[in-house]
Amino acid sequence: MRSLEKQLGYTLTLTLAGLFVVFWWVTTYTIHELTERYIVTRLEHDSDTLLRHLKLEDGQWHLSENAAEAIYLRPHSGHYYLIKSRPPSRIANLLSPSLDGFSLYTPITENQSSVYETNMPDSSHTLVLRVPFERDGEHGYLFVAEDHSPIQNSLRTFDVLFALFSLMGLLVLLWSQRRILKRGFDSLNPVKQALNEIQSGKQVAIQAEVPQEIAPLVETLNQAMSQLHARLERSRMATGNLAHALKSPLNLIYQFLEDERIKAHPHLQESLQEQAERILNLIDRELSQARMAGSGVALQAFQFPQDLQDLINTMRQLYRDKAIEFEMDCQIADSLPFDREDLFELLGNLLDNACKWCQSRVRVSVETEQAWLLIHIEDDGQGVAQKDIDLMKNRGIRLDESQPGHGLGLSIVHEIVKAYDGQIAFTQKQPFQTHRPPLSGLQVTIRLPLHTSKG
């Protein structure tokens, strides 16, 4: 879906542009119509004056002295009149001196008043009013004309200036609209930053000040996340209690296996020992799976490289007798949106396997590659048979501690990787870093997407 800010900006821009075009057209059209109507009104007044002083004497049309204004007397003054009989007869046409002999276009096809535009020698915009009349039994037409080119030129100038000012006003409004939209959506940035903090595990609720319109949404999100965190904490606490409750009876069973009466039956002892260990491994695996947060909101984010270094220090303590040399290459200096307990479980199992089967060296590298977290762990042990590597590639494989090779905790690793929609690969003697040759043992590569959604 497109950005809401862009959709609003696009829609408002088109709306404002359309409104300004309509506003400009209506305004200019109205002004042009009012101007033309004003000129026609003035021509009507002049026609009334001329007809009031018109008379027929000796078979000729005559106007009373001073009937016409002086502007009609000056040649090419821009104001003209012409009187024509209808139908044409022996009565000659009466022309204003301003026509100076020019033949004004005078259609007489209709017996009604009309307004039209024609050309004059010095003008291409002359408005003509035609008025029918009757005097002394004779019918005729009075044509009154005015050159309105100066007014049209002024109107064209007005049209251009008004268009420019309208365009400037539109640009100012668009700029203001963009600023208002940006300021409005910028007020949501604290929410976005708070969500990023929540996703990375740095905080557990949106505490930023938000606009009143989205405050109910933020409150609902906070309530949902609070419930999610509370349920996950209760689940982890319950799994811990269950682990404690189940392991105590199992420890008692292990003590019974040391009883002399049980030792007297070695086959029975071996069978009970195997089943007890299987139950213990199943409990550990299922409880670990129940404690996983998976992709989504992390209760507490795994901190690189501090937490990784703590894990390595723990492995040093567990395998003091091997004096393992750890090579750590961590290219990440901040937390990532992965639950701390999940990555402790994931890295802890992989490091424990590597320490168990190595000779003296374990190498750990962590980096980001595009949209993935890349974890690579290898050791200098004897490696694993190819058939076992092929088995390890199957998602959800269940390998027991009693089996040879790197089996302990791999099913848990598979489940955590699956929970994050990640990928896991097992290889041997593959060069991952150009400046260092690969070690001889098993290589485990984990790829986890940096942006995941809870499924």
Side-chain angles (χ1 to χ4, degrees):
M1 181 178 287
R2 289 191 305 173
S3 165
L4 180 59
E5 181 179 359
K6 290 183 179 179
Q7 291 185 56
L8 285 175
Y10 180 75
T11 303
L12 290 175
T13 298
L14 288 182
T15 303
L16 282 175
L19 287 175
F20 264 79
V21 169
V22 172
F23 172 70
W24 178 86
W25 181 83
V26 169
T27 302
T28 54
Y29 175 81
T30 302
I31 291 178
H32 281 254
E33 285 295 312
L34 289 175
T35 303
E36 182 174 326
R37 186 59 202 161
Y38 170 75
I39 297 174
V40 171
T41 301
R42 193 161 60 183
L43 292 176
E44 290 174 346
H45 292 166
D46 287 353
S47 66
D48 290 341
T49 301
L50 292 172
L51 289 176
R52 195 163 48 246
H53 294 83
L54 179 66
K55 56 186 177 179
L56 184 64
E57 293 180 352
D58 300 329
Q60 299 292 327
W61 296 114
H62 291 279
L63 286 172
S64 301
E65 189 176 355
N66 298 327
E69 298 181 8
I71 197 168
Y72 288 100
L73 306 178
R74 188 172 69 250
H76 308 296
S77 64
H79 291 258
Y80 316 97
Y81 67 81
L82 183 148
I83 300 173
K84 178 183 287 190
S85 298
R86 176 176 60 88
S89 64
R90 66 180 185 278
I91 303 176
N93 296 338
L94 179 62
L95 285 73
S96 66
S98 56
L99 281 172
D100 194 24
F102 180 78
S103 179
L104 181 69
Y105 173 64
T106 55
I108 56 173
T109 55
E110 299 178 358
N111 186 23
Q112 59 184 9
S113 299
S114 65
V115 178
Y116 62 94
E117 195 172 76
T118 187
N119 294 332
M120 295 297 289
D122 300 330
S123 171
S124 59
H125 299 285
T126 300
L127 200 63
V128 182
L129 171 66
R130 183 187 66 186
V131 182
F133 69 89
E134 188 270 334
R135 283 289 186 279
D136 301 328
E138 292 288 342
H139 296 272
Y141 285 104
L142 169 63
F143 297 87
V144 186
E146 180 177 342
D147 176 13
H148 64 144
S149 294
I151 296 178
Q152 290 296 322
N153 293 335
S154 298
L155 287 176
R156 279 195 296 271
T157 302
F158 169 81
D159 291 344
V160 173
L161 292 177
F162 184 65
L164 290 176
F165 280 106
S166 297
L167 180 60
M168 291 175 60
L170 175 61
L171 293 177
V172 170
L173 279 178
L174 291 177
W175 178 82
S176 301
Q177 163 204 293
R178 179 167 181 158
R179 292 278 297 177
I180 293 171
L181 283 177
K182 184 171 179 13
R183 189 180 301 114
F185 281 95
D186 283 347
S187 64
L188 301 179
N189 284 338
V191 179
K192 180 180 178 181
Q193 294 172 1
L195 289 174
N196 290 334
E197 296 287 329
I198 291 172
Q199 188 178 25
S200 63
K202 294 180 180 178
Q203 62 184 56
V204 296
I206 301 175
Q207 300 174 349
E209 293 186 5
V210 297
Q212 183 178 3
E213 290 76 7
I214 68 167
L217 174 62
V218 172
E219 183 178 355
T220 303
L221 283 174
N222 283 336
Q223 290 176 354
M225 286 185 292
S226 177
Q227 292 174 0
L228 172 63
H229 294 164
R231 288 175 183 173
L232 188 54
E233 287 287 6
R234 287 196 299 269
S235 174
R236 285 176 171 171
M237 185 176 295
T239 55
N241 294 336
L242 182 59
H244 179 75
L246 291 177
K247 285 184 178 180
S248 295
L250 276 175
N251 290 331
L252 186 58
I253 292 175
Y254 280 120
Q255 293 176 15
F256 287 157
L257 288 173
E258 299 299 324
D259 191 278
E260 293 299 331
R261 290 170 292 180
I262 298 296
K263 288 183 178 181
H265 302 278
H267 293 290
L268 178 60
Q269 182 188 30
E270 182 179 353
S271 178
L272 289 176
Q273 178 81 24
E274 181 181 347
Q275 294 303 318
E277 290 180 354
R278 185 180 296 274
I279 293 173
L280 180 60
N281 288 334
L282 286 173
I283 291 173
D284 286 340
R285 179 166 60 249
E286 296 304 322
L287 292 180
S288 296
Q289 182 176 351
R291 289 195 300 267
M292 284 190 299
S295 60
V297 178
L299 284 181
Q300 185 177 4
F302 192 88
Q303 300 288 332
F304 292 96
Q306 295 89 346
D307 288 340
L308 180 57
Q309 185 63 56
D310 290 343
L311 268 175
I312 291 175
N313 293 337
T314 301
M315 294 300 158
R316 283 198 178 101
Q317 294 296 322
L318 290 175
Y319 294 93
R320 288 193 301 268
D321 55 328
K322 299 185 73 170
I324 300 174
E325 177 186 352
F326 288 90
E327 300 177 13
M328 186 180 76
D329 182 13
C330 184
Q331 304 293 328
I332 303 171
D334 199 359
S335 62
L336 292 178
F338 300 101
D339 187 78
R340 189 167 183 263
E341 295 296 330
D342 289 350
L343 282 197
F344 263 118
E345 197 78 38
L346 174 72
L347 292 170
N349 277 290
L350 293 177
L351 286 172
D352 185 60
N353 278 335
C355 292
K356 181 177 181 179
W357 301 103
C358 74
Q359 297 294 327
S360 61
R361 294 172 64 191
V362 172
R363 181 179 296 164
V364 183
S365 65
V366 182
E367 60 182 335
T368 55
E369 184 181 80
Q370 295 180 351
W372 296 84
L373 170 65
L374 183 62
I375 301 172
H376 179 71
I377 298 177
E378 57 182 324
D379 61 73
D380 63 348
Q382 295 181 357
V384 180
Q386 185 61 42
K387 61 181 182 66
D388 291 332
I389 291 182
D390 294 336
L391 288 175
M392 291 176 185
K393 293 179 181 178
N394 296 326
R395 175 176 289 181
I397 187 172
R398 296 172 181 262
L399 298 177
D400 291 330
E401 183 180 7
S402 59
Q403 290 182 282
H406 294 64
L408 181 61
L410 283 182
S411 60
I412 298 175
V413 171
H414 271 288
E415 292 299 332
I416 295 176
V417 172
K418 180 180 178 181
Y420 283 94
D421 296 324
Q423 302 169 5
I424 183 170
F426 302 94
T427 56
Q428 289 190 119
K429 301 181 181 179
Q430 296 293 325
F432 288 93
Q433 295 175 319
T434 56
H435 61 283
R436 288 191 294 191
L439 300 181
S440 59
L442 181 69
Q443 299 169 326
V444 183
T445 302
I446 304 291
R447 292 168 61 87
L448 301 177
L450 292 176
H451 302 287
T452 57
S453 59
K454 186 76 176 167

